[in-house]
Amino acid sequence: MARLFDAYIMVDWSAASKPATGANSIWIGILARDARLRLQFRAVNIETRLKARAFLEDIVGKLTNRGDRILLGFDFSLGYPAGTAEALGLSLDGKAPWQAMHEHLASKLKDKADNSNARYAIAAGMNYAISKGPFPFWGAPARDVVSTLGSTKPDFTDAPLPEYRLAELHLRDSKKGQPKSCWQLAYTGSVGSQSLTGIPHVHALRQAWPESRIWPFELGDGGPLTEDDLAGVKVVMAEIYPSLIKPKPESGEVADAAQVRGIAHYYASLDEKGALSDAFSTAKVLDTAQKAKIQAEEGWILGI
């Protein structure tokens, strides 16, 4: 079976409020073919989200112009638990819930050149729309705590929205990982702020690239991805979970760089074996209703 992709770009995102490099900043790993058609890896460390998006537009443009099809992975949630768009009162009007949510966040969250934004205020506003109180987003630093956004986790028991997406529950139940909830905005291991700041840039890239698709929302039906599914598609954007593998950092290499290197090689290896197609399947244990939630709003993690 031929490879589905020619190049693999993996993004370790950051919600830092100031320009930053080194550990816990944005790392982009590019695994692409050189002049001799051999896959070669390089990692790029970028200090702001706006610059990272510009870099992705440039490198993806160069690769697609030479005929490559690209797998572009982001290490944050591309969707929210089923029911979020409705709870926010977003107008669907022919749009899928995930699409309405992407457009909503893109309209609200604007990164400045210095990497600052109003994400805590935006989260507080969404909490007000959903619950009129500090639910479901949580994890604000003391200076950003308000009546509709707290520092501690609210009670999700019998709540109108679940704490975790089906993908996170699957990772936890299968003992493959202990991902945090997309509602948690701060503290150790949190990913909520990465999603809030990342989805607007994914939305912008999707708008800039007509021949791109976001998986699983726009590709496939929950089963293996085929070459027919990818007809006319040059870029597939997907959610990744780099902790699926445990790469050992090389001498002088920060952990973030090792993770994008490791996960890029992992997907490339699956593709070489003809096994990446199956990695695009959602969990076989899920029923039809659950898969519909994944496709419409929640998303899924590639390869879990």
Side-chain angles (χ1 to χ4, degrees):
M1 181 179 178
R3 282 180 175 268
L4 294 176
F5 299 95
D6 305 292
Y8 313 82
I9 301 176
M10 302 294 127
V11 182
D12 187 309
W13 199 247
S14 170
S17 57
K18 297 179 181 179
T21 56
N24 301 315
S25 62
I26 297 174
W27 286 86
I28 300 176
I30 305 105
L31 185 61
R33 297 192 183 279
D34 61 15
R36 297 184 180 181
L37 301 182
R38 297 176 301 187
L39 282 174
Q40 297 290 338
F41 178 82
R42 68 183 176 110
V44 180
N45 189 202
I46 301 178
E47 64 267 30
T48 70
R49 287 176 289 277
L50 286 172
K51 288 183 179 180
R53 189 173 94 202
F55 175 83
L56 288 172
E57 289 178 332
D58 180 65
I59 188 66
V60 167
K62 289 175 179 176
L63 291 173
T64 55
N65 283 341
R66 75 179 192 183
D68 285 4
R69 182 190 290 150
I70 300 163
L71 175 61
L72 175 56
F74 295 93
D75 72 334
F76 52 80
S77 306
L78 294 181
Y80 284 84
T84 299
E86 181 181 7
L88 275 169
L90 301 184
S91 173
L92 299 183
D93 192 24
K95 302 170 188 172
W98 74 266
Q99 188 177 18
M101 193 67 180
H102 280 213
E103 291 180 359
H104 179 70
L105 291 178
S107 72
K108 294 289 185 181
L109 195 140
K110 306 292 185 182
D111 275 318
K112 297 179 180 178
D114 66 358
N115 227 25
S116 64
N117 56 51
R119 69 178 181 273
Y120 291 110
I122 291 166
M126 287 194 286
N127 276 355
Y128 181 81
I130 291 171
S131 69
K132 303 298 187 290
F135 176 92
F137 287 100
W138 67 278
R143 67 180 179 276
D144 293 297
V145 169
V146 293
S147 62
T148 56
L149 184 65
S151 60
T152 58
K153 184 171 76 171
D155 186 5
F156 281 88
T157 306
D158 299 322
L161 291 170
E163 182 175 5
Y164 297 106
R165 298 179 302 156
L166 291 166
E168 285 120 19
L169 291 174
H170 178 70
L171 273 173
R172 288 170 168 263
D173 292 345
S174 62
K175 311 299 182 185
K176 293 180 180 178
Q178 290 292 312
K180 301 290 186 179
S181 166
C182 58
W183 306 125
Q184 183 180 344
L185 301 177
Y187 314 128
T188 304
S190 64
V191 296
S193 284
Q194 283 89 325
S195 294
L196 273 185
T197 60
I199 286 175
H201 292 283
V202 169
H203 177 74
L205 292 173
R206 176 65 183 88
Q207 298 304 110
W209 299 331
E211 294 171 308
S212 67
R213 298 292 183 271
I214 302 175
W215 177 84
F217 304 127
E218 301 181 287
L219 271 180
D221 57 2
L225 200 63
T226 68
E227 186 63 41
D228 287 343
D229 294 325
L230 292 171
V233 177
K234 293 185 177 180
V235 183
V236 173
M237 291 182 270
E239 180 180 341
I240 61 173
Y241 187 64
S243 296
L244 279 177
I245 59 171
K246 306 295 181 184
K248 183 179 179 181
E250 297 175 352
S251 178
E253 185 181 38
V254 304
D256 309 283
Q259 284 203 314
V260 293
R261 173 176 55 80
I263 199 70
H265 279 288
Y266 173 70
Y267 290 133
S269 175
L270 289 180
D271 210 1
E272 178 69 26
K273 299 171 186 174
L276 186 57
S277 173
D278 287 335
F280 282 92
S281 299
T282 50
K284 295 180 176 64
V285 298
L286 301 183
D287 59 32
T288 301
Q290 290 173 318
K291 288 184 177 181
K293 290 179 180 179
I294 289 167
Q295 200 85 24
E297 187 163 13
E298 294 201 354
W300 196 252
I301 299 169
L302 181 60
I304 66 169

